[in-house]
Amino acid sequence: MRLIVPLRGVIQGRGGLLVGSLIPCCLFYFLQLYLKRRRSPPDPPPRTNLFSRGNSIGRVRVSSRAVDVAKPTDSPYYIGLERVKADPYDRMSNRDGIIQLGLAESSLCFDLLQSWMSENLMESMMMQSDEGGFDISSIAMYKPFEGLLELRVAFADFMSRIMGGNVSFDPSNMVITAGGTPAIEVLAFCLADHGNAFLIPSPYYPGFDRDIKFRTGVELIPVHCRSSDNFTVTVSALEQALNQARKRGSRVSGILFSNPSNPVGNILSRETLHDILRFAQEKNIHVISDEIFAGSVYGDKEFVSMAEIAGSGEFDKSRVHIIYGLSKDLSIPGFRAGVIYSFHEDVVSAAKKLMRFSSVPVPVQRILISLLSDTRFIEEYMAAHRQRIREKHIRFVEGLKQLGIPCAESDGGLYCWVDMRSLLTSYSEKGELELFEKLLSVAKINATPGTACYCIEPGWFRCCFTALADEDIPVIMERIRQLAESSRS
Amino acid sequence: MRLIVPLRGVIQGRGGLLVGSLIPCCLFYFLQLYLKRRRSPPDPPPRTNLFSRGNSIGRVRVSSRAVDVAKPTDSPYYIGLERVKADPYDRMSNRDGIIQLGLAESSLCFDLLQSWMSENLMESMMMQSDEGGFDISSIAMYKPFEGLLELRVAFADFMSRIMGGNVSFDPSNMVITAGGTPAIEVLAFCLADHGNAFLIPSPYYPGFDRDIKFRTGVELIPVHCRSSDNFTVTVSALEQALNQARKRGSRVSGILFSNPSNPVGNILSRETLHDILRFAQEKNIHVISDEIFAGSVYGDKEFVSMAEIAGSGEFDKSRVHIIYGLSKDLSIPGFRAGVIYSFHEDVVSAAKKLMRFSSVPVPVQRILISLLSDTRFIEEYMAAHRQRIREKHIRFVEGLKQLGIPCAESDGGLYCWVDMRSLLTSYSEKGELELFEKLLSVAKINATPGTACYCIEPGWFRCCFTALADEDIPVIMERIRQLAESSRS
């Protein structure tokens, strides 16, 4: 019998089995360690255009995450916005330019805002000093990054007011952010670790990709909704998506959704909100409700905040987090004013500290305190805002209807979700992107295609209509009519 | 001869050596794999106060990074600021409160700012429409997140002006940020990947820890400077720190420093800047120069921007990045206005996109365009700003000198670096922290101890003096005198 083992002379006697196994294991372990050290930290992806100058040993590298962020986008949402920037339609000076239906902003009540600002701007920004003059220190100096208490009180009151008064907000659960965008990023950072995921009913707002994926490392898992349900999410779809995600090894930390939904514009019913929160509680995950269009509801359905469901006493509300802001309902995106409202004290406390990166300048806070506290103005503004969206919506949807183009049912938002399937040359993502390109370059219209929103049914487009003048609508309809005709011929 | 190996019956013949080693290795490898799967993804740290309610399976977890951020701080810098907030000194209403020497802000030229704002605020914010009225759309709507071109042009001119006109800035290399804080974070994100490090001469500004470590995952490696060099960094110290870091397996991506330095207040000479950039080029790493106090220079030494050295043609300037802002030189931290100036196109392009999280509201941008473009005001302001810091500095340092307390030599900044070694009961970090606590609770003064700035020599404190009224200085000196007396007795 001939037995060959490593270190032949050593392994003898009763310890032979143990030592004969241990020695190769140790050698193997140290080999692994050596290899690991050699390749750690991982090399960033190779860069092109390297050059050297002076005595440099090569061009300096930026981080691989910066390379990712700097890369040109392939999202039709951003491509469309860029194209408009290069050739924007103007009724007076550029009648052949691209008409913007891609950006959810509103100028419907600028007359009201303008007269308020003309009267109150100066006074709201500079508080009176004891001597009666302006007091610069009230706007110039450092203030708490999470927002002045007066502003949080005013915001809480305003949010309760636009949500129909059925829910109240506690200013101590509130953090003021420089727009809705950092509110979303900070919540993602706080609720999920790098590599974890959120479920998100799709079609969804294309900006979430940058908001969440740029820096937090949190994944978004679309939960596909269908036209047959008017794109409303169901618990069974959530359940299925969660199970699939877990099978793939993803750790799902929460559900993120917009209500009123963006891009569809429908409103989640009280029952659906209950179902979602019950589901989240069963699975022990978070719920993030983006309610930035809560005051832009123009249909007959009642808007219900997830904060109201959370406060019903039925649930552990610490898993519920609300995003809000003034970019849509007050039409002042230029003011960069958003809110994180969270029932979880650690989230509030971490978000407050993170606001060093995204705080609202004090002069703007002072304006907002005056604006939001002027309840007479706010009531008048909100009524006009809703009424004017409703009218513009009717006008826009009616125009499309006359072209044989229907829209999904909707009750809120600054947009409608347009069914352009009849204009597709092929019923596929490719066909949809071809139509997007034809809309941009032939009809000179920028509408956001469903594929940018992770919609699985081709042919749907989000069209924002609240920055349009009435006289622009016939221009748009005529452009679409011509496109439809040429593609049918 | 008795040889025992695993799987005795199998290992025979000439392949015995190989198989006899391979089998234990394989078993060991699969054991490792099994253990790794069991513990991955890593569990967040255990939480206290768990509870369940309804049918929840336990309290929902926030991310482990949020738990880290939410944790109470142990930095004396932030502890001091919190203590002042709870009991702030006020000449009229709270004469026994804590006097703030911990925050670098200035009210020295509020009279000038106030009169400018009173005259120009309204006009600067609301541009005239064609019909002659205010045009709300110029402040309310979405604008490029990286800052309006007019603002970048005005900033470039302003920066060149305060830096003595020896260097010019290209607005296309510039990104406007909501304060210096996000400028630092975004640069760290862009220049270093998670786990990489920056060298940073210490003592350094304690806020950098939160700016950089909260979210970017970049490490800061202090390069200790000594009182014998007036705390100025040397290339040999950088070299040594770099070598040590590399030995430990750290990947160093750059050098970060403040010039004028914070907390010491000294200015780096042209030669030192050359040396640092040459060193960075040899090592192929980045240079980040925080020049936020560039216009707050009151000594006789000339301030030189790293941008000037980079532009000399001697170096690959794409590795040079400048941080600037208006919180210190224009005394308007409440306005949250900062700048990233980078010679690397990928950094500029990534930073522009990341400004969705930290953009300056348009109304504030409009004010700043008017303010920075008003060159007559700016010249007058800057001259007064420097003159008044100089005077206050003399008054403050003289007061300390009469108590036998010297300061480091300094030429810029809103603070001085005070040598309180004579007041220590023991020459150690512990002794310094005891003095910090006595200053806070007995003398009722918040000064930032060197240990918060990673200074290795105990007994140094940063004292900010530019928010003090002249009549506060004798109060401070009297409080310190009493403390010194009681600790000597």
Side-chain angles (χ1 to χ4, degrees):
Chain A
M1 191 174 77
R2 210 170 145 235
L3 297 180
I4 301 173
V5 294
L7 301 169
R8 181 173 205 156
V10 180
I11 301 155
Q12 305 229 357
R14 295 186 58 194
L17 173 62
L18 191 68
V19 179
S21 307
L22 260 184
I23 289 171
C25 285
C26 287
L27 290 171
F28 181 59
Y29 179 72
F30 286 117
L31 176 72
Q32 284 177 309
L33 256 191
Y34 170 74
L35 290 173
K36 201 171 163 191
R37 275 191 83 99
R38 269 178 62 104
R39 68 161 187 264
S40 163
D43 275 336
R47 299 287 310 284
T48 51
N49 299 324
L50 297 180
F51 69 88
S52 60
R53 196 198 285 188
N55 54 352
S56 163
I57 55 170
R59 187 163 190 203
V60 67
R61 266 203 297 243
V62 301
S63 67
S64 53
R65 51 197 184 182
V67 172
D68 285 344
V69 170
K71 267 203 297 251
T73 179
D74 56 0
S75 161
Y77 173 65
Y78 292 105
I79 290 170
L81 295 179
E82 287 301 317
R83 292 276 285 275
V84 176
K85 215 184 274 175
D87 180 23
Y89 171 81
D90 185 287
R91 216 168 306 126
M92 304 298 177
S93 57
N94 188 19
R95 292 188 66 85
D96 291 333
I98 303 175
I99 299 181
Q100 178 67 287
L101 304 180
L103 195 60
E105 63 181 354
S106 165
S107 52
L108 294 178
C109 292
F110 272 7
D111 54 335
L112 302 179
L113 272 180
Q114 191 152 296
S115 77
W116 189 92
M117 296 278 173
S118 307
E119 280 168 37
N120 300 287
L121 202 53
M122 192 69 185
E123 206 173 307
S124 61
M125 252 194 304
M126 301 256 240
M127 294 174 75
Q128 301 285 316
S129 69
D130 296 341
E131 295 85 44
F134 284 134
D135 180 8
I136 184 78
S137 67
S138 68
I139 55 170
M141 299 187 95
Y142 282 108
K143 298 287 169 194
F145 288 135
E146 72 268 24
L148 296 162
L149 178 61
E150 304 99 291
L151 180 56
R152 286 180 284 130
V153 169
F155 242 114
D157 181 64
F158 173 75
M159 285 171 66
S160 171
R161 190 175 294 270
I162 59 154
M163 293 178 187
N166 297 324
V167 54
S168 65
F169 294 90
D170 178 351
S172 62
N173 290 343
M174 190 176 268
V175 177
I176 307 293
T177 62
T181 295
I184 293 160
E185 186 191 44
V186 165
L187 270 183
F189 179 91
C190 289
L191 304 181
D193 275 307
H194 198 281
N196 294 359
F198 290 148
L199 300 180
I200 178 166
S202 75
Y204 68 78
Y205 162 57
F208 279 149
D209 281 342
R210 289 191 172 184
D211 295 348
I212 292 177
K213 294 180 187 172
F214 263 177
R215 293 199 294 195
T216 70
V218 175
E219 303 293 325
L220 293 178
I221 299 176
V223 181
H224 296 298
C225 305
R226 298 180 173 280
S227 56
S228 51
D229 302 322
N230 198 35
F231 300 100
T232 302
V233 71
T234 61
V235 165
S236 67
L238 287 172
E239 180 95 49
Q240 199 187 348
L242 182 72
N243 290 339
Q244 282 174 356
R246 287 185 170 168
K247 262 187 211 150
R248 284 195 310 271
S250 285
R251 174 174 281 194
V252 173
S253 306
I255 309 166
L256 164 65
F257 59 90
S258 303
N259 182 29
S261 96
N262 181 1
V264 178
N266 51 17
I267 291 181
L268 293 179
S269 70
R270 193 177 287 274
E271 292 66 41
T272 305
L273 293 172
H274 255 100
D275 291 348
I276 291 174
L277 186 49
R278 190 171 303 112
F279 171 78
Q281 180 144 312
E282 273 170 28
K283 306 300 179 185
N284 200 22
I285 59 179
H286 293 276
V287 168
I288 307 155
S289 178
D290 171 13
E291 304 184 355
I292 202 159
F293 292 100
S296 302
V297 169
Y298 50 82
D300 298 326
K301 280 196 200 140
E302 173 205 33
F303 170 81
V304 180
S305 170
M306 189 51 109
E308 189 184 334
I309 311 296
S312 66
E314 217 179 305
F315 302 99
D316 161 24
K317 61 186 176 182
S318 71
R319 70 185 71 251
V320 174
H321 319 274
I322 313 284
I323 291 161
Y324 188 64
L326 302 179
S327 298
K328 313 300 180 185
D329 290 350
L330 267 190
S331 320
I332 47 172
F335 280 61
R336 314 305 307 127
V339 163
I340 292 171
Y341 189 83
S342 172
F343 291 99
H344 199 300
E345 70 273 26
D346 283 354
V347 173
V348 173
S349 141
K352 278 183 179 179
K353 287 188 181 172
L354 292 173
M355 277 313 114
R356 64 195 287 107
F357 305 115
S358 304
S359 68
V360 177
V362 187
V364 172
Q365 291 196 47
R366 296 273 175 218
I367 300 174
L368 296 178
I369 291 169
S370 294
L371 182 63
L372 298 180
S373 311
D374 185 345
T375 52
R376 218 185 59 178
F377 171 78
I378 290 297
E379 292 290 344
E380 183 197 0
Y381 177 92
M382 291 314 302
H385 179 66
R386 283 180 182 154
Q387 178 61 24
R388 293 179 191 182
I389 305 177
R390 191 197 326 265
E391 286 165 9
K392 194 72 82 183
H393 178 251
I394 291 171
R395 202 180 285 262
F396 192 82
V397 169
E398 191 54 40
L400 289 168
K401 200 174 162 190
Q402 284 174 11
L403 299 174
I405 296 173
C407 294
E409 261 182 63
S410 62
D411 294 277
L414 308 178
Y415 37 76
C416 50
W417 185 233
V418 185
D419 176 2
M420 297 207 187
R421 283 180 288 186
S422 62
L423 301 184
L424 295 180
T425 47
S426 76
Y427 185 69
S428 64
E429 188 182 315
K430 186 164 164 282
E432 181 181 288
L433 288 175
E434 279 168 10
L435 178 56
F436 166 66
E437 183 52 42
K438 268 194 281 182
L439 281 164
L440 263 179
S441 51
V442 181
K444 298 282 197 112
I445 286 171
N446 175 41
T448 306
T451 174
C453 309
Y454 299 83
C455 184
I456 43 166
E457 298 182 24
W460 294 84
F461 284 74
R462 187 185 78 158
C463 295
C464 303
F465 53 77
T466 48
L468 299 174
D470 282 347
E471 53 265 48
D472 295 335
I473 294 180
V475 180
I476 295 166
M477 298 308 154
E478 178 54 23
R479 289 182 179 191
I480 296 178
R481 195 191 59 73
Q482 286 182 11
L483 183 78
E485 238 168 44
S486 74
S487 63
R488 273 174 203 139
S489 64
Chain B
M1 192 174 76
R2 208 171 146 234
L3 296 180
I4 301 173
V5 295
L7 303 168
R8 182 174 204 155
V10 180
I11 301 155
Q12 305 230 355
R14 294 187 58 196
L17 173 62
L18 192 68
V19 180
S21 308
L22 260 183
I23 289 172
C25 285
C26 287
L27 290 171
F28 181 59
Y29 180 71
F30 286 117
L31 176 72
Q32 283 177 310
L33 257 191
Y34 170 75
L35 290 173
K36 201 171 164 191
R37 275 190 82 98
R38 270 178 60 104
R39 68 162 187 262
S40 163
D43 276 336
R47 300 287 311 284
T48 51
N49 299 324
L50 297 180
F51 68 88
S52 60
R53 195 198 287 187
N55 54 353
S56 163
I57 55 170
R59 188 162 191 204
V60 67
R61 265 203 297 244
V62 302
S63 67
S64 52
R65 51 197 184 182
V67 172
D68 284 344
V69 170
K71 267 203 295 251
T73 179
D74 56 1
S75 161
Y77 173 64
Y78 292 105
I79 290 171
L81 295 179
E82 287 301 316
R83 293 276 285 274
V84 176
K85 216 185 273 176
D87 180 23
Y89 171 81
D90 186 287
R91 216 168 307 125
M92 304 298 176
S93 57
N94 188 20
R95 293 189 65 86
D96 290 333
I98 303 175
I99 299 181
Q100 178 67 286
L101 304 180
L103 195 60
E105 64 182 353
S106 166
S107 52
L108 294 178
C109 292
F110 272 6
D111 55 334
L112 302 179
L113 272 179
Q114 191 152 296
S115 78
W116 189 92
M117 296 278 173
S118 307
E119 280 168 36
N120 300 286
L121 201 54
M122 193 68 184
E123 207 173 307
S124 61
M125 252 195 303
M126 301 256 240
M127 295 174 74
Q128 300 285 315
S129 69
D130 296 341
E131 295 85 45
F134 284 134
D135 180 8
I136 183 78
S137 68
S138 68
I139 55 170
M141 300 188 93
Y142 282 109
K143 299 287 170 193
F145 288 135
E146 72 268 24
L148 296 162
L149 178 61
E150 303 98 291
L151 180 56
R152 287 180 284 129
V153 169
F155 242 114
D157 182 64
F158 174 75
M159 285 170 66
S160 171
R161 191 175 294 270
I162 59 154
M163 293 177 188
N166 297 325
V167 55
S168 65
F169 293 90
D170 178 351
S172 62
N173 290 343
M174 190 176 268
V175 177
I176 307 293
T177 62
T181 295
I184 292 160
E185 186 191 43
V186 165
L187 271 183
F189 179 91
C190 289
L191 304 181
D193 275 306
H194 197 281
N196 294 358
F198 290 148
L199 300 180
I200 178 166
S202 75
Y204 67 78
Y205 162 56
F208 279 149
D209 281 341
R210 290 191 172 184
D211 295 348
I212 292 178
K213 294 180 187 172
F214 262 177
R215 294 199 294 194
T216 70
V218 175
E219 303 293 325
L220 293 178
I221 299 176
V223 181
H224 297 298
C225 304
R226 299 182 172 279
S227 56
S228 50
D229 302 322
N230 198 36
F231 300 100
T232 302
V233 71
T234 62
V235 165
S236 67
L238 288 172
E239 180 96 49
Q240 198 188 348
L242 183 72
N243 290 339
Q244 282 174 357
R246 287 185 170 169
K247 261 187 212 151
R248 283 195 310 271
S250 285
R251 174 173 282 193
V252 173
S253 305
I255 308 166
L256 164 64
F257 60 89
S258 303
N259 182 28
S261 95
N262 181 1
V264 179
N266 51 16
I267 291 181
L268 293 179
S269 69
R270 193 178 287 274
E271 292 65 41
T272 306
L273 293 172
H274 255 100
D275 291 347
I276 291 174
L277 186 48
R278 191 172 302 113
F279 171 79
Q281 181 144 312
E282 273 170 27
K283 306 300 180 186
N284 200 23
I285 59 179
H286 292 277
V287 168
I288 306 155
S289 178
D290 171 13
E291 304 184 355
I292 202 159
F293 291 100
S296 302
V297 169
Y298 50 82
D300 298 326
K301 280 195 199 141
E302 174 204 33
F303 170 81
V304 180
S305 170
M306 189 51 110
E308 189 184 334
I309 311 295
S312 66
E314 217 179 304
F315 302 99
D316 161 23
K317 62 186 175 182
S318 71
R319 71 184 72 251
V320 173
H321 319 273
I322 313 284
I323 290 162
Y324 188 64
L326 302 180
S327 298
K328 313 301 180 185
D329 290 351
L330 267 189
S331 321
I332 47 172
F335 281 60
R336 314 304 308 127
V339 163
I340 291 171
Y341 189 84
S342 172
F343 291 99
H344 199 299
E345 71 272 26
D346 283 353
V347 173
V348 173
S349 142
K352 278 182 179 179
K353 288 188 180 171
L354 292 173
M355 277 313 113
R356 65 194 287 106
F357 305 115
S358 304
S359 69
V360 177
V362 188
V364 173
Q365 291 196 46
R366 296 272 176 220
I367 300 173
L368 295 178
I369 291 169
S370 294
L371 182 63
L372 298 180
S373 311
D374 185 345
T375 52
R376 218 186 59 178
F377 171 77
I378 290 297
E379 292 290 345
E380 183 197 359
Y381 177 92
M382 291 314 302
H385 179 66
R386 284 180 183 156
Q387 178 60 25
R388 293 179 191 181
I389 305 177
R390 191 196 327 264
E391 287 165 9
K392 194 73 81 184
H393 178 252
I394 290 170
R395 203 179 284 261
F396 192 82
V397 169
E398 191 54 40
L400 289 168
K401 200 174 162 191
Q402 284 174 11
L403 300 175
I405 296 173
C407 294
E409 260 182 64
S410 63
D411 294 278
L414 308 178
Y415 37 75
C416 50
W417 185 233
V418 185
D419 176 1
M420 297 207 187
R421 283 180 288 186
S422 62
L423 301 185
L424 295 180
T425 46
S426 76
Y427 186 68
S428 64
E429 189 182 314
K430 186 164 164 281
E432 181 181 289
L433 289 175
E434 279 169 10
L435 178 56
F436 166 66
E437 184 52 43
K438 267 195 281 183
L439 280 165
L440 263 179
S441 51
V442 181
K444 298 283 197 113
I445 286 172
N446 176 40
T448 306
T451 174
C453 309
Y454 299 83
C455 184
I456 43 166
E457 298 182 24
W460 294 84
F461 284 75
R462 187 185 77 159
C463 295
C464 303
F465 53 77
T466 49
L468 298 174
D470 282 348
E471 53 265 49
D472 295 335
I473 294 180
V475 180
I476 295 166
M477 298 309 154
E478 178 55 24
R479 289 182 179 191
I480 296 179
R481 195 191 60 73
Q482 286 182 11
L483 184 77
E485 238 168 42
S486 74
S487 63
R488 272 173 205 142
S489 64

